Amino acid sequence: MLLLYEQVERERCREAAHARKGKTVFSMITVDTRQGKRIAIISQSELCDPLDTGEYVRAYCHIHGSDHQRSLSINRATGWGHCFNAACEAIVLVAEWNPRIAQRLIHPHGGGASAFFPSSYASQEKRAPLFYQPVLLRPTRPAPKWQQDELAALLSLEKQMRAALLHSRRARAYLEERGIPLEIALATGVGYLPEEMLRLPEAKGKWEVLHRWAERIVFPLVSLAGEGYVGRTLWGWHPGMDENAHKSLLDRPRRPRRWIKTNPAGWFCSDLDQLARKLILVEGAFDRLTLIAAGFQATEVVALVGTAAPADWFPPHVDTVILALDADEGGREASNKLADRLTREGFDVRVHLPQQEKWGKDWNERWRRMGDQAIQAISDVYVEARSA
Ligand SMILES: [Zn+2]
């Protein structure tokens, strides 16, 4: 049965390849990116005899018509793949595995999700042999029980944490010394979890998962997998203490970690659907608050907080990404990698590397020391992108 299926499948691939050589257009769509790369957006039903090898799926390449080697290798989680055949080297994207990117590449200027799959996809879909498809679905692993409990406990305290930020003299002093107006912190959903909150009736039975969040400024995170939090500890901080002195205090052994996150984590930003068309990506939560305090809209700035920038998180209307990461070695490296990937994925990418490292490596530090002058360059880049 399997042999017979394989024969039929190979036959189908061969026919498809021949048809392609005869210039018959199949459902595949090719898109040329701004950088001159050609990407073949294909449907999973076009994959010839795919073999699941874990992270990657291997298939005969129907683009150059190979029928003796599975030269097409596709990352199952991202949908991106390429052909190893030196004469082909096709770059492919499997549309169903990364529908947002496929949609962006096909309709670079928006267009609803329903407009995504052209009718040829639908007809291919019907022809797809159904029984190999389940193997190709993305695996989703649920978070361990304690992480689920931790997230649920934090969610249940969200209102109290916001009220605590408003009422805690210490948390307010900390924000003030970092130059963040309280109203901006409150408007972006920031809260605080004071030690006393662990004794509230609402926190009963949750000490186990909550105690590591005590004394932390808590930022809400969003992701396609759901809500999450990241928390910055104020342990050992006292008013008047310099931010860098606090950092080095926390860097010593057996100190609370400066930042902790839930699972899922995510970005500190407005709801994904609300994001502006042109976005500034920064590294830290305080960098985002800084740029908002300096006049940017909350919907214009995304803090990655250590979470990669999976392109399918961006809503389809986002067309420009300005990378404004830290001015240190790590920030530069991350900028380059991210710029490469996001460009390939169809975004207009601009990299802004601040020239004022001597005034501090991140936006918050430079802003505290230089004032509005620290923000001028990124404002110019943003205005230029807006008018492009
Ligand atoms: Zn090929």
Side-chain angles (χ1 to χ4, degrees):
M1 163 66 199
L2 192 63
L3 261 177
L4 180 64
Y5 165 72
E6 263 179 23
Q7 260 171 22
V8 172
E9 179 61 18
R10 296 280 280 276
E11 201 51 48
R12 184 175 78 85
C13 297
R14 217 167 277 150
E15 274 169 23
H18 285 146
R20 196 170 303 289
K21 278 175 186 154
K23 297 280 183 273
T24 312
V25 181
F26 270 62
S27 64
M28 178 179 82
I29 296 173
T30 55
V31 176
D32 293 314
T33 66
R34 286 188 186 86
Q35 264 53 37
K37 278 185 188 152
R38 176 155 293 183
I39 295 164
I41 302 170
I42 62 174
S43 162
Q44 65 175 13
S45 64
E46 286 179 271
L47 293 176
C48 288
D49 202 5
L51 184 71
D52 183 12
T53 63
E55 200 179 341
Y56 290 87
V57 171
R58 301 293 293 255
Y60 295 98
C61 177
H62 62 291
I63 294 168
H64 77 271
S66 129
D67 58 4
H68 53 274
Q69 215 173 28
R70 285 188 174 89
S71 55
L72 203 54
S73 169
I74 301 155
N75 185 314
R76 213 155 55 149
T78 65
W80 285 103
H82 74 280
C83 175
F84 285 112
N85 184 298
C88 175
E89 292 189 332
I91 299 172
V92 301
L93 176 70
V94 177
E96 293 92 335
W97 302 352
N98 203 335
R100 285 223 192 191
I101 292 296
Q103 184 182 352
R104 179 192 315 287
L105 289 169
I106 296 169
H107 302 289
H109 305 293
S114 59
F116 163 46
F117 287 103
S119 52
S120 51
Y121 272 109
S123 59
Q124 278 283 318
E125 206 69 68
K126 278 185 216 123
R127 296 204 332 239
L130 289 172
F131 61 88
Y132 69 59
Q133 291 194 359
V135 195
L136 303 174
L137 294 176
R138 286 191 206 195
T140 46
R141 205 178 299 143
K145 172 90 168 59
W146 76 266
Q147 286 181 327
Q148 295 179 35
D149 293 347
E150 177 184 57
L151 180 57
L154 289 167
L155 279 166
S156 74
L157 290 174
E158 184 150 310
K159 233 164 83 193
Q160 288 89 332
M161 291 193 292
R162 289 185 195 185
L165 182 70
L166 187 62
H167 295 114
S168 157
R169 195 180 296 172
R170 184 151 174 255
R172 277 188 351 230
Y174 182 78
L175 286 180
E176 197 186 319
E177 292 191 19
R178 292 201 71 169
I180 307 299
L182 180 64
E183 308 74 55
I184 283 174
L186 291 171
T188 49
V190 180
Y192 178 60
L193 202 154
E195 192 90 53
E196 310 86 81
M197 200 178 282
L198 299 178
R199 293 191 289 273
L200 289 180
E202 294 93 320
K204 196 162 183 256
K206 298 174 185 169
W207 188 88
E208 203 70 40
V209 289
L210 280 179
H211 74 276
R212 71 184 196 124
W213 290 84
E215 274 195 276
R216 284 180 190 270
I217 305 257
V218 179
F219 303 80
L221 303 178
V222 299
S223 78
L224 281 188
E227 293 165 280
Y229 294 96
V230 63
R232 166 60 150 91
T233 188
L234 296 194
W235 185 92
W237 182 84
H238 54 79
M241 186 176 202
D242 173 71
E243 176 56 22
N244 287 322
H246 190 220
K247 263 186 206 164
S248 46
L249 175 76
L250 292 170
D251 281 344
R252 287 182 212 157
R254 289 183 300 280
R255 297 291 152 84
R257 277 162 60 199
R258 192 145 53 93
W259 291 94
I260 57 171
K261 287 194 272 191
T262 55
N263 179 13
W267 294 340
F268 175 47
C269 64
S270 52
D271 285 344
L272 296 175
D273 291 340
Q274 312 287 316
L275 291 176
R277 267 179 58 216
K278 303 188 189 300
L279 295 176
I280 300 177
L281 263 52
V282 296
E283 285 190 31
F286 282 99
D287 297 322
R288 174 169 184 250
L289 293 177
T290 301
L291 292 192
I292 297 172
F296 284 96
Q297 298 295 314
T299 52
E300 294 172 337
V301 191
V302 171
L304 299 175
V305 291
T307 299
D312 58 346
W313 287 17
F314 296 106
H317 62 260
V318 173
D319 55 24
T320 305
V321 176
I322 299 163
L323 300 173
L325 309 185
D326 287 356
D328 57 7
E329 192 62 33
R332 269 170 228 282
E333 206 173 294
S335 265
N336 289 338
K337 276 193 188 151
L338 212 48
D340 268 2
R341 181 160 61 75
L342 292 173
T343 301
R344 195 182 54 166
E345 289 167 348
F347 295 93
D348 180 4
V349 180
R350 290 150 202 240
V351 177
H352 175 73
L353 288 172
Q355 302 302 309
Q356 314 103 333
E357 297 102 308
K358 66 170 179 204
W359 294 100
K361 82 173 177 69
D362 63 34
W363 289 106
N364 183 253
E365 191 175 6
R366 287 192 299 271
W367 197 53
R368 274 183 285 127
R369 298 170 66 183
M370 298 168 67
D372 284 345
Q373 210 193 325
I375 308 295
Q376 193 54 51
I378 186 74
S379 296
D380 293 346
V381 172
Y382 196 79
V383 168
E384 189 196 306
R386 214 190 252 143
S387 57

